[in-house]
């Protein structure tokens, strides 16, 4: 008896997805609710759980195929892996047979490592660092390897890495050889490309800049970070200060937290901040709900949770939906200055950049201060230049004098 595996409901208005990868091979035993495949939607990767326990049957679709909600993608056969007919087991990839014959006494860790699929980014890092993935303990979901696992293993156990191949065993490509690699765009990357291009074609985009002296925030963090972490169990970061400052500025410049819908302007009396965080397949933007009413600790805990779940691939569609304003921190990657693009239908995005010591004039004297450039990209159809400049000025004043955040100035 077999049970069909169907594409689950993916979220409001989402009718199709791309099959990212199979997590179970035909002939392998699966437990009920165990992930057997991953689907890439317009926003996140979603795992497909096994509806019943049994043995993985044949695939109906392959990685890279587009599937609709409710479509059958595989089957699960009743019974255990040991009782599966040989014909079913033979549907597994043939190249594994030589490996099994060559290493019949492989350790449990090696077997687990060989059976666990690697994401493209982890696979690339493994090749770059020369790490044997079967010797690395995975800390991701279901024991999968993450990039952090590979990097930590590479740093902690350099002596266990494979010795460099000899000149005779490692042929060197001919000088001047050229090659290329074609990789199918993920559904997430396709959607990002379409939305950003749509923003350029639809909105009247303009960017205004300001710089901010980070001395006061850095001193505040240094003074209270240990107490803050001890009391709240989370580190005090810069994003909490900027989120609170945006909430403060949005009250005085409501157009920045508004949207054009048809021939109407919708002003929101709440601030749902989309924050860009890094995920294995690219940047995603989960939403901090009602940020204007949250404390520093609540904001930092929410952002930390988003970051951990993004790396583990467990963010949901509900985490991504909505958002009235976006904060993007390119500074964590070393960006000095940029012109971010708004995330439609939002009307503005605040870009943060790296902090660097620069000479500035303070009371007629030149001093070295930790400075950061801020960029506000906005839809000029809704937001005037005066409003954009005022918005950035309020944020600058709040960051340079954090007491303003406590007394609503």
């Amino acid at each position: 008896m077999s049970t069909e595996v169907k594409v689950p409901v993916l979220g409001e208005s989402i009718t199709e997805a791309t099959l990212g990868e199979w997590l179970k091979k035909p002939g392998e035993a699966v437990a009920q609710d165990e992930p057997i495949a991953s689907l890439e939607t317009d926003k996140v990767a979603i795992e497909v759980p096994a509806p019943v326990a049994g043995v993985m049957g044949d695939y109906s679709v392959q990685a890279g195929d587009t599937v609709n909600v409710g479509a059958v993608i595989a089957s699960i056969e009743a019974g255990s892996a040991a009782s599966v007919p040989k014909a079913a087991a033979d549907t597994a990839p043939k190249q594994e047979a030589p490996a099994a014959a060559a290493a019949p006494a492989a350790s449990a860790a090696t077997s687990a490592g060989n059976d666990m699929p690697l994401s493209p980014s982890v696979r690339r890092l493994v090749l770059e660092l020369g790490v044997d993935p079967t010797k690395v303990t995975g800390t991701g979901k279901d024991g999968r390897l993450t990039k952090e696992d590979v990097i930590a293993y590479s740093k902690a156990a350099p002596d266990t890495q494979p010795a460099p191949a000899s000149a005779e065993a490692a042929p060197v490509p001919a000088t001047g050889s050229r090659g290329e690699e074609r990789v199918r765009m993920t559904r997430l990357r396709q959607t990002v490309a379409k939305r950003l291009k749509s923003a350029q074609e639809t909105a009247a985009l303009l960017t205004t800049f300001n710089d901010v002296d980070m001395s006061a925030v850095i001193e505040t963090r240094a003074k209270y970070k240990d107490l803050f972490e001890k009391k709240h169990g989370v580190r005090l970061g810069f994003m909490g200060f900027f989120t609170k400052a945006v909430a403060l500025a949005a009250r005085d410049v409501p157009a920045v937290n508004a949207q054009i819908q048809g021939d109407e302007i919708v002003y929101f009396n709440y601030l749902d901040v989309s924050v860009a965080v890094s995920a294995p397949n690219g940047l995603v933007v989960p939403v901090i709900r009602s940020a204007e009413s949250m404390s520093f600790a609540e904001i930092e805990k929410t952002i930390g949770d988003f970051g951990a779940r993004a790396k583990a691939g467990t963010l949901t569609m509900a985490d991504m939906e909505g958002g009235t304003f976006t904060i993007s921190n390119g500074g964590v990657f070393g960006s000095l200055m940029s012109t971010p693009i708004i995330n439609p239908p939002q009307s503005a995005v605040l870009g943060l950049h790296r902090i660097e010591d620069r000479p500035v004039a303070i009371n007629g004297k030149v001093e070295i201060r930790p400075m950061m450039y801020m960029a506000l990209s906005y839809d000029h159809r809704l937001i005037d230049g005066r409003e954009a400049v005022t918005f950035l000025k309020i944020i600058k004043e709040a960051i340079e004098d954090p007491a303003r955040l406590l007394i609503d100035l």
Side-chain angles (χ1 to χ4, degrees):
M1 177 180 176
S2 64
T3 301
E4 294 179 334
V5 180
K6 298 182 178 181
V7 177
V9 176
L10 302 173
E12 184 179 356
S13 75
I14 297 179
T15 59
E16 64 179 22
T18 299
L19 184 71
E21 63 176 337
W22 287 104
L23 307 179
K24 284 291 185 178
K25 302 180 182 113
E28 288 186 332
V30 296
Q32 184 172 359
D33 295 328
E34 181 180 8
I36 61 173
S38 67
L39 298 174
E40 295 177 356
T41 70
D42 293 347
K43 296 183 178 180
V44 294
I46 297 175
E47 291 181 333
V48 180
V52 295
V55 178
M56 190 69 196
D58 293 334
Y59 303 152
S60 300
V61 296
Q62 299 300 318
D65 290 350
T66 298
V67 293
N68 295 320
V69 171
V72 176
I73 59 174
S75 63
I76 294 180
E77 308 295 332
S80 62
S83 64
V84 178
K86 188 177 186 300
D90 287 342
T91 60
K94 301 295 183 183
Q95 62 269 25
E96 289 191 1
S107 66
T110 300
S111 299
N114 285 338
D115 290 339
M116 190 63 65
L118 303 177
S119 69
S121 59
V122 172
R123 188 179 300 112
R124 183 164 54 250
L125 187 61
V126 163
L127 294 175
E128 291 176 356
L129 298 180
V131 171
D132 182 354
T134 63
K135 297 180 180 180
V136 185
T137 301
T139 61
K141 186 174 179 63
D142 297 326
R144 293 184 207 168
L145 296 188
T146 66
K147 293 168 65 175
E148 289 74 16
D149 296 332
V150 177
I151 293 172
Y153 177 84
S154 176
K155 292 180 178 179
D159 293 338
T160 65
Q161 306 309 310
S166 64
E168 295 79 5
V172 179
T175 302
S177 64
R178 289 148 52 89
E180 62 182 36
E181 178 183 5
R182 291 180 181 268
V183 180
R184 184 188 180 98
M185 289 180 70
T186 65
R187 179 170 290 271
L188 174 61
R189 177 53 57 187
Q190 293 179 42
T191 301
V192 169
K194 291 177 182 178
R195 288 176 63 86
L196 294 183
K197 187 58 180 175
S198 174
Q200 288 184 317
E201 295 174 346
T202 303
L205 291 178
L206 188 62
T207 303
T208 187
F209 299 91
N210 209 327
D211 61 358
V212 57
D213 185 346
M214 297 294 292
S215 299
V217 167
I218 291 174
E219 291 172 3
T220 301
R221 287 185 67 220
K223 183 176 181 180
Y224 295 110
K225 65 178 182 180
D226 293 337
L227 289 174
F228 187 88
E229 186 170 4
K230 181 178 180 180
K231 180 175 181 178
H232 300 291
V234 65
R235 294 177 59 189
L236 178 61
F238 291 124
M239 192 62 76
F241 288 93
F242 279 99
T243 302
K244 298 291 284 185
V246 166
L248 187 68
R251 289 193 316 181
D252 290 347
V253 188
V256 175
N257 190 42
Q259 295 177 7
I260 295 177
Q261 296 183 8
D263 59 356
E264 296 179 332
I265 299 175
V266 179
Y267 293 92
F268 301 99
N269 58 11
Y270 55 86
L271 179 70
D272 284 355
V273 179
S274 301
V275 289
V277 297
S278 182
N281 292 330
L283 290 178
V284 292
V285 280
V287 180
I288 304 174
R289 313 287 176 182
S290 300
E292 81 287 349
S293 62
M294 298 176 71
S295 66
F296 278 87
E298 290 170 332
I299 293 171
E300 295 295 351
K301 286 179 180 178
T302 302
I303 294 173
D305 176 64
F306 283 155
R309 291 166 58 199
K311 290 180 180 178
T314 57
L315 286 173
T316 66
M317 297 300 300
D319 294 323
M320 308 288 185
E321 294 173 346
T324 61
F325 185 88
T326 294
I327 300 178
S328 178
N329 186 6
V332 298
F333 304 110
S335 172
L336 175 64
M337 187 180 294
S338 67
T339 55
I341 300 178
I342 64 174
N343 180 22
Q346 297 175 20
S347 298
V349 52
L350 176 67
L352 306 179
H353 302 90
R354 76 170 185 250
I355 302 170
E356 64 175 8
D357 289 341
R358 292 203 302 268
V360 293
I362 305 293
N363 297 324
K365 296 181 180 180
V366 176
E367 297 185 15
I368 303 299
R369 294 292 182 94
M371 304 296 293
M372 173 198 286
Y373 287 116
M374 299 184 297
L376 181 73
S377 290
Y378 57 97
D379 189 344
H380 209 350
R381 297 177 301 167
L382 174 60
I383 303 168
D384 295 330
R386 177 183 60 83
E387 293 173 310
V389 172
T390 301
F391 182 81
L392 276 184
K393 183 173 178 290
I394 295 173
I395 293 176
K396 174 182 172 69
E397 292 172 346
I399 295 299
E400 292 182 343
D401 184 9
R404 289 173 173 266
L405 299 175
L406 302 178
I407 57 178
D408 292 337
L409 288 179

